[in-house]
Amino acid sequence: MSGSSHGHTPAAWTGVIIAFIGFCVSGAFVVMAKPVGFWAGMVIVLLGGVVGMIMRAMGMGQPKTQTQTQG
């Protein structure tokens, strides 16, 4: 695994950081017993995934490798 560049891209880091912030927001609002804040945090978590996919589509993710099949 150490030989690969899995997760070492701006798209991966940005998506995970945004999702982590959303997780922290949701957790804080669970402790405060505020369902609306919890769901707002969950929206932030989903936003992290969307931002990561958009950045990957813009070329900031890991490049796709071409595999050759013999047949």
Side-chain angles (χ1 to χ4, degrees), residues 10-35:
W13 278 100
T14 303
V16 168
I17 289 171
I18 293 171
F20 180 72
I21 291 169
F23 174 77
C24 292
V25 168
S26 290
F29 279 104
V30 163
V31 172
M32 293 186 286
K34 303 286 185 182

Side-chain angles (χ1 to χ4, degrees), residues 27-54:
F29 279 104
V30 163
V31 172
M32 293 186 286
K34 303 286 185 182
V36 174
F38 167 78
W39 289 111
M42 294 307 293
V43 168
I44 296 171
V45 170
L46 293 175
L47 181 66
V50 170
V51 168
M53 287 191 299
I54 290 171

